[in-house]
Amino acid sequence: MGSFMKKILFGFLAIFSCAFAAPPQETKEQATKVEPVVILGSGVGALTSAIYLERAGIPTLVIEGPDPGGAIAQSPKVDNWPGEQEIDGRSLVDKIRSQAVANGATIVPEEVTSVDFSSSILKINTRKVLEKDKTRTIQARACIVATGSKPKLLGVPGESGDKGYWTKGVYSCAVCDGGLYKDKTVAVIGGGDAAITEANYLSNIAKKVYIVLRSDKFRTVETLRKNELVKKSNVEVLYNTKINEIQGNGQRVTHLNLSTENKLPIDGVFVAIGATPNTSMFGNQLALNTSGYISLKNDQQTSAPGIFAIGDVVDPVYKQAISAAGDGAKAALQVEGFLAGLPKEEIIQPKISEEVRIVKTSSESVKDISSKEEFYSAIGEGKTPVVFDFYSPYCGPCKQLLPQLEKLADEYKGKVRFLKVNVSQFSGLAETYNIFSVPTVLIFDKQGKVVGQATGLDDINKTLKNLDSIAAK
């Protein structure tokens, strides 16, 4: 059956069910529209599912999550995607995302806080990524879980916590924060594919890159890339070495305390030792294996009816974008079969959210600076306060922040100026103002004095709420 005819069928079923199957006394919750399917996540697998579902005439809602595009969006170079000789991960994801939106998928900038899969009507609680106080409950008949994974930490002193250097010299994403370490000395911890990718990117930026391995060999399938990497003059491998402690001066990392009883002077540390599936919220909802991955049966079917899972939340072995895409296609076809098997009165045509988010690739209201001179000139003009957005092109949260900055730029036009600073190009400016992570906003008043600085979406959102008082001064 064609996509057009299926959409007509869904509309007919909606009219039929509303007219004849509504309960006599609906509660407010029961009256809420039920989405046919909701996808949790926005990586390659999730977007592939959205394309397949929309092509099948099934309206699809995608909850983007706090890291749009997933892990591959952080890769500066992808050489093994079919049909692309070479492409960066962000561009690859944007292509697939545009295809999903063009086919009708609704993508919202929200993150899931909890789920209730205990009944046939699934409940998914979300909040806006940039405005945590704005929450809602989404109801659905089917769900595809594509929440990905989060990087593992070393668990050593000085890494995270109150006395740690997380985002002040310790990171898990080289393409996001590596631009801050141009011509500096850095260390990459790990010997797998992720570590090779991180170290390769950093070797083109940093003065010196140490790769620290616990064992005597790498654990990567990218042998060619690994061989090319270790031949570089600015790359040195430390085998059979563990990190005992990450130390610094209180503001930033200065060196690593190694198991070899040596102290290694470095400016930044990039941890790439694997990942943990993002399944904590599903612990009492779905069957998980001993490693925390969602257990599957019959391809992508989970232990709960109507719930399917794909990608890194189910895959402890391959962890490839192409296998996640394959999972996404299979899950979409299974959802289609699941919905087709439901009683007609249970299929309710949803009211698709009007908050379709299409990320802009450029902005007229928030422009990139082209030189240091332009940066300092903007500060010295004295006409209006200036908000600088320090970002990386591969940073997912940076991409999520941009639409809000564009909106504020229009709202405060003539009162506050907004400019972007690409840290990959202007790492010196970031260092001058002690900016150690992206996204970071730096706010100057009319007199050129710094009156606000915030890092991370939560703190940035709080800081930007003070623009009225800053503009009025």
Side-chain angles (χ1 to χ4, degrees), residues 127-337:
R127 64 185 178 190
K128 289 195 173 185
V129 172
L130 291 170
E131 298 173 273
K132 305 292 189 184
D133 57 331
K134 293 187 177 180
T135 63
R136 64 167 171 159
T137 297
I138 300 167
Q139 297 190 107
R141 279 306 283 113
C143 177
I144 296 177
V145 179
T147 48
S149 58
K150 59 185 175 183
K152 288 182 180 178
L153 299 183
L154 293 166
V156 299
E159 182 179 35
S160 59
D162 294 339
K163 296 182 179 180
Y165 289 93
W166 191 256
T167 72
K168 293 184 292 183
V170 182
Y171 312 94
S172 63
C173 176
V175 296
C176 299
D177 301 294
L180 299 166
Y181 292 88
K182 184 177 180 180
D183 298 325
K184 295 183 180 296
T185 300
V186 298
V188 174
I189 316 301
D193 292 333
I196 295 300
T197 299
E198 299 280 276
N200 189 61
Y201 177 79
L202 290 166
S203 68
N204 297 320
I205 299 173
K207 176 178 64 177
K208 178 77 174 184
V209 179
Y210 292 99
I211 305 176
V212 185
L213 281 74
R214 293 182 298 176
S215 65
D216 60 354
K217 60 183 177 181
F218 286 90
R219 297 174 293 98
T220 176
V221 298
E222 291 278 359
T223 304
L224 293 177
R225 184 178 291 186
K226 182 263 293 183
N227 291 340
E228 292 175 357
L229 174 66
V230 298
K231 290 178 182 177
K232 291 188 175 184
S233 60
N234 65 334
V235 174
E236 182 177 344
V237 183
L238 304 179
Y239 294 100
N240 299 310
T241 303
K242 295 182 181 180
I243 310 299
N244 288 333
E245 184 178 0
I246 299 171
Q247 297 181 332
N249 59 12
Q251 286 190 315
R252 62 173 66 187
V253 169
T254 57
H255 60 273
L256 298 177
N257 189 337
L258 305 177
S259 59
T260 56
E261 298 184 358
N262 294 328
K263 287 191 174 183
L264 184 67
I266 46 103
D267 300 297
V269 186
F270 294 84
V271 181
I273 57 172
T276 302
N278 289 320
T279 56
S280 58
M281 75 176 72
F282 308 115
N284 60 347
Q285 304 285 329
L286 303 173
L288 308 179
N289 67 20
T290 54
S291 299
Y293 292 87
I294 296 175
S295 298
L296 298 179
K297 56 183 180 180
N298 185 24
D299 294 323
Q300 310 310 128
Q301 173 67 57
T302 70
S303 58
I307 313 296
F308 305 86
I310 64 175
D312 284 3
V313 292
V314 301
D315 179 11
V317 180
Y318 301 105
K319 296 184 178 295
Q320 298 295 306
I322 192 66
S323 57
D327 286 353
K330 289 187 289 184
L333 294 172
Q334 288 185 281
V335 167
E336 186 178 356

Side-chain angles (χ1 to χ4, degrees), residues 419-465:
L419 293 169
K420 294 189 295 178
V421 181
N422 185 339
V423 297
S424 300
Q425 298 176 358
F426 300 102
S427 57
L429 287 175
E431 184 175 5
T432 298
Y433 291 97
N434 293 321
I435 293 171
F436 304 117
S437 185
V438 292
T440 291
V441 297
L442 194 62
I443 306 176
F444 292 83
D445 63 13
K446 295 177 183 179
Q447 288 72 43
K449 178 182 177 183
V450 176
V451 292
Q453 181 170 337
T455 299
L457 295 181
D458 289 347
D459 287 342
I460 289 173
N461 186 50
K462 293 175 184 177
T463 300
L464 292 177
K465 289 181 179 179

